[in-house]
Amino acid sequence: MHVKGQEFVPKTQPVLILSNHQNGLLDPLLIATKSNRFCYYLTRAAVFQKPLVARLLKGLNMLPVYRARDGWQNITNNNAIFEICKGLLKQKEALVIFPEGSHNLSRKVRPLSKGFTRIILDTLDTYPDLDLQLLPVGVNYNNPKGFADSMFLNIGKPISAKQYTTLKKVDAVAALKKDVQEQIQLLTTHIEDDYEVVVKNLEQERADFLKPDVINHYLVKGEKRSGFKRSKSFLKPLKIIFNTLLKLVLLPVYALWKLLFQPKIEEKEFTGTFRFALGLTLVPLWLLIIFLVVGFNLGWTIAVMQFAFIAVLALLSVKL
């Protein structure tokens, strides 16, 4: 994981973190762990439908927000949520919003919805002296469907929200959407036209998608700056061997993933998220079973050595 711009994150001021959204739950997790702020998150209401899941998500500081596609009768529920957001910002908390309104694997910033502008303007209407900061963020992945994958969290300079309060509301909404969109586009790869053709060309060129400034310069100017291509790894054959060995060690879990879990994922943006969840739950359980079986039958020294071998194998398969 690579991070740039952590020094731009306001430490004590209220802040609205505004990011592109490619990768399901991984995007907010990365922001949570690398922004150096205790954050609250606006999350699409559809994932709160099951009571147990709803309690879990709310325990993770996630707040449901309703969209037109969730039914117009539910839109009024946002009024209460926006009031909560105003209260959190008044308390100088950090709030994370993905203003595209949904997730998508495309390497482009889609048109922003205006919901985030309402939170900004309503908050400043109620608390005109609040020094609310808007923090644009670009989340970048080499392979957003993969896990483990390399990623780059690109944090931009904060924008003072007060400057928009002098405009008429309709002009303020338009200006906010335009300025935030432009800033996020600078912080992540943004392919405007001929998307499929351009992506295929960049992949064939082995473009390094963790360097959005270099990629975007190429897309606009046609010039390949230093660092445009990913460096070749001469250890790739070894990586393949280590990956194969790791799959054999984790064969029951890997089989469950391939045969049971992966085929049921309807939104590909959640592929990395579910693999991550599997790594946090079933993998440790399976390793514990192996450890206990080996320990009781061959001795605990061999069990510890075997566990250390698997740990090194996993590290090599990811890092090479």
Side-chain angles (χ1 to χ4, degrees):
M1 294 187 291
H2 309 274
V3 184
K4 179 183 177 183
Q6 280 181 316
E7 69 275 11
F8 295 139
V9 181
K11 300 297 187 295
T12 58
Q13 296 160 288
V15 57
L16 205 61
I17 299 175
L18 301 159
S19 171
N20 65 311
H21 199 12
Q22 281 192 325
N23 208 336
L25 189 61
L26 290 184
D27 292 345
L29 280 175
L30 290 165
I31 292 173
T33 56
K34 296 298 179 181
S35 66
N36 293 332
R37 285 293 299 260
F38 185 80
C39 299
Y40 293 81
Y41 306 84
L42 279 184
T43 308
R44 59 176 181 157
V47 300
F48 287 80
Q49 291 179 349
K50 296 182 179 180
L52 181 61
V53 174
R55 286 198 296 270
L56 174 63
L57 295 180
K58 288 177 181 178
L60 295 173
N61 292 342
M62 294 186 178
L63 305 170
V65 63
Y66 295 86
R67 304 166 297 175
R69 71 194 71 176
D70 298 318
W72 288 104
Q73 70 277 10
N74 293 317
I75 294 296
T76 55
N77 294 333
N78 286 335
N79 295 333
I81 298 300
F82 289 168
E83 286 299 317
I84 292 174
C85 292
K86 287 165 58 176
L88 290 171
L89 293 173
K90 176 64 170 63
Q91 296 168 22
K92 299 183 179 181
E93 298 287 358
L95 183 64
V96 178
I97 298 179
F98 299 98
E100 290 170 302
S102 62
H103 47 236
N104 194 291
L105 292 172
S106 298
R107 299 185 187 276
K108 66 184 297 182
V109 182
R110 291 162 290 131
L112 307 187
S113 63
K114 64 180 182 180
F116 79 98
T117 67
R118 177 183 167 185
I119 293 175
I120 295 168
L121 298 176
D122 285 359
T123 299
L124 291 178
D125 276 345
T126 306
Y127 309 108
D129 296 327
L130 194 66
D131 188 16
L132 176 58
Q133 299 293 305
L134 314 179
L135 192 69
V137 171
V139 181
N140 303 269
Y141 299 88
N142 257 331
N143 177 18
K145 287 189 292 186
F147 181 84
D149 180 40
S150 296
M151 64 78 55
F152 172 44
L153 190 68
N154 198 7
I155 303 172
K157 294 181 180 180
I159 304 168
S160 174
K162 278 187 177 182
Q163 62 183 293
Y164 299 96
T165 58
T166 59
L167 303 174
K168 293 181 179 178
K169 189 167 185 178
V170 64
D171 295 329
V173 169
L176 277 165
K177 289 177 65 176
K178 176 178 178 292
D179 292 349
V180 172
Q181 175 111 19
E182 288 177 351
Q183 288 303 307
I184 297 177
Q185 285 177 188
L186 292 174
L187 298 168
T188 187
T189 300
H190 179 67
I191 302 172
E192 191 72 52
D193 303 312
D194 299 322
Y195 181 83
E196 297 297 335
V197 174
V198 174
V199 167
K200 185 176 180 181
N201 175 60
L202 290 173
E203 290 175 346
Q204 289 176 343
E205 292 272 357
R206 300 186 66 255
D208 189 347
F209 290 108
L210 301 189
K211 296 179 180 175
D213 55 335
V214 176
I215 302 297
N216 288 335
H217 179 82
Y218 169 72
L219 293 175
V220 175
K221 302 288 187 180
E223 301 171 354
K224 295 179 181 177
R225 288 177 173 174
S226 175
F228 175 82
K229 290 188 176 183
R230 296 194 305 273
S231 57
K232 289 185 177 180
S233 175
F234 298 102
L235 299 175
K236 189 173 181 179
L238 280 177
K239 182 178 178 70
I240 294 173
I241 293 173
F242 291 138
N243 276 337
T244 303
L245 288 174
L246 187 62
K247 288 174 182 176
L248 289 174
V249 171
L250 303 176
L251 188 58
V253 180
Y254 183 69
L256 281 174
W257 165 250
K258 281 295 184 181
L259 300 176
L260 181 61
F261 294 106
Q262 190 176 23
K264 292 184 178 180
I265 300 175
E266 297 179 359
E267 298 178 74
K268 297 305 177 185
E269 294 85 354
F270 278 101
T271 302
T273 298
F274 280 104
R275 287 187 67 175
F276 176 70
L278 215 64
L280 280 178
T281 54
L282 294 188
V283 169
L285 179 61
W286 174 243
L287 293 181
L288 177 62
I289 292 172
I290 295 176
F291 180 78
L292 293 175
V293 169
V294 172
F296 280 116
N297 290 278
L298 300 177
W300 299 109
T301 300
I302 295 178
V304 170
M305 292 173 60
Q306 173 259 356
F307 185 85
F309 168 77
I310 296 175
V312 172
L313 182 62
L315 186 65
L316 291 173
S317 67
V318 171
K319 293 297 183 181
L320 285 184

